[in-house]
Amino acid sequence: DAGITQSPRHKVTETGTPVTLRCHQTENHRYMYWYRQDPGHGLRLIHYSYGVKDTDKGEVSDGYSVSRSKTEDFLLTLESATSSQTSVYFCAITTGPNSPQHFGDGTRLSIL
Amino acid sequence: TQLLEQSPQFLSIQEGENLTVYCNSSSVFSSLQWYRQEPGEGPVLLVTVVTGGEVKKLKRLTFQFGDARKDSSLHITAAQPGDTGLYLCAGGRNSGNTPLVFGKGTRLSVIA
């Protein structure tokens, strides 16, 4: 399914380093989301975007920033990674806030 | 505050058994979606229900939206090993750009 691509798929890095994850879509969908998924916590929303340069915080936004300079790309940045940010990160896209979301295959991030 | 409570959290059954998982809330939702997630992949939409009391069937899976649109259930008849996965419900709130609310999921294991 080539509509949404996350990169990298896996990354190992050290505490204190900056990390940027990329979500790329070819569907021209307006809404894009970043989630993290951890055992016992389910999917937790980090940040979302409802248009180019329009973003808002989710429930676990501390330590994360995002940018969306064009429709197809939504970047998630960890300015100074911490071990608590070790997780699997998912990007999702949709046509509307209540419409079904189409998810990427995830990025497994390990911070040592 | 977890707006959507899913139960049970874990379920392990034998092939051929029936099961029901639940998604409950004290809030009213404009729609309710069910997703299934397999290891190493993102969640994939199974169904959306939008009308109170609505029942939808997808082969051996039956989905119901509560009359008051506060809860939903997923019933699987004659479970197969291929049904194994994490089942997530998500509620839409029909309020501006407000994102979906996800439950923490039910992890189902069907043993052959």
Side-chain angles (χ1 to χ4, degrees):
Chain A
D1 194 350
I4 178 171
T5 306
Q6 290 186 232
S7 59
R9 291 295 316 278
H10 303 271
K11 186 172 182 66
V12 180
T13 190
E14 294 183 347
T15 301
T17 60
V19 177
T20 296
L21 308 183
R22 181 185 185 226
C23 179
H24 178 77
Q25 60 147 328
T26 58
E27 306 295 325
N28 201 36
H29 286 346
R30 178 181 170 191
Y31 293 82
M32 299 185 75
Y33 304 85
W34 276 108
Y35 296 90
R36 61 178 290 175
Q37 188 173 39
D38 305 285
H41 292 279
L43 278 171
R44 291 185 290 175
L45 183 64
I46 305 171
H47 282 280
Y48 64 101
S49 170
Y50 46 93
V52 173
K53 295 192 166 80
D54 291 323
T55 65
D56 206 347
K57 296 178 179 180
E59 64 175 302
V60 290
S61 60
D62 287 349
Y64 302 94
S65 63
V66 290
S67 67
R68 191 164 178 207
S69 59
K70 47 186 178 177
T71 299
E72 55 265 38
D73 287 324
F74 192 31
L75 303 180
L76 176 70
T77 297
L78 291 64
E79 300 290 348
S80 178
T82 68
S83 58
S84 64
Q85 293 175 311
T86 291
S87 186
V88 180
Y89 290 84
F90 286 98
C91 177
I93 61 175
T94 186
T95 55
N98 292 311
S99 300
Q101 294 184 8
H102 179 41
F103 286 81
D105 285 332
T107 293
R108 185 173 295 277
L109 178 63
S110 297
I111 300 164
L112 307 177
Chain B
T1 302
Q2 183 64 32
L3 292 182
L4 275 173
E5 298 284 346
Q6 290 192 243
S7 61
Q9 286 187 39
F10 301 95
L11 188 57
S12 181
I13 62 171
Q14 295 291 322
E15 182 177 2
E17 292 184 358
N18 302 331
L19 68 114
T20 303
V21 298
Y22 300 93
C23 176
N24 295 310
S25 177
S26 58
S27 302
V28 175
F29 290 97
S30 59
S31 65
L32 205 294
Q33 299 164 19
W34 285 91
Y35 295 78
R36 179 168 65 210
Q37 183 179 18
E38 299 187 16
E41 300 180 4
V44 175
L45 180 74
L46 294 173
V47 77
T48 301
V49 285
V50 297
T51 306
E54 183 176 2
V55 176
K56 280 192 174 179
K57 293 192 175 184
L58 187 66
K59 297 183 180 178
R60 294 176 292 100
L61 279 61
T62 301
F63 304 84
Q64 184 162 7
F65 202 11
D67 291 340
R69 291 185 288 128
K70 292 183 178 181
D71 54 82
S72 182
S73 63
L74 159 59
H75 181 79
I76 301 178
T77 302
Q80 304 293 313
D83 296 326
T84 294
L86 178 67
Y87 289 81
L88 295 160
C89 65
R93 289 177 284 184
N94 222 21
S95 174
N97 291 313
T98 305
L100 297 175
V101 175
F102 278 85
K104 292 184 179 182
T106 292
R107 188 166 297 280
L108 172 65
S109 177
V110 182
I111 302 164

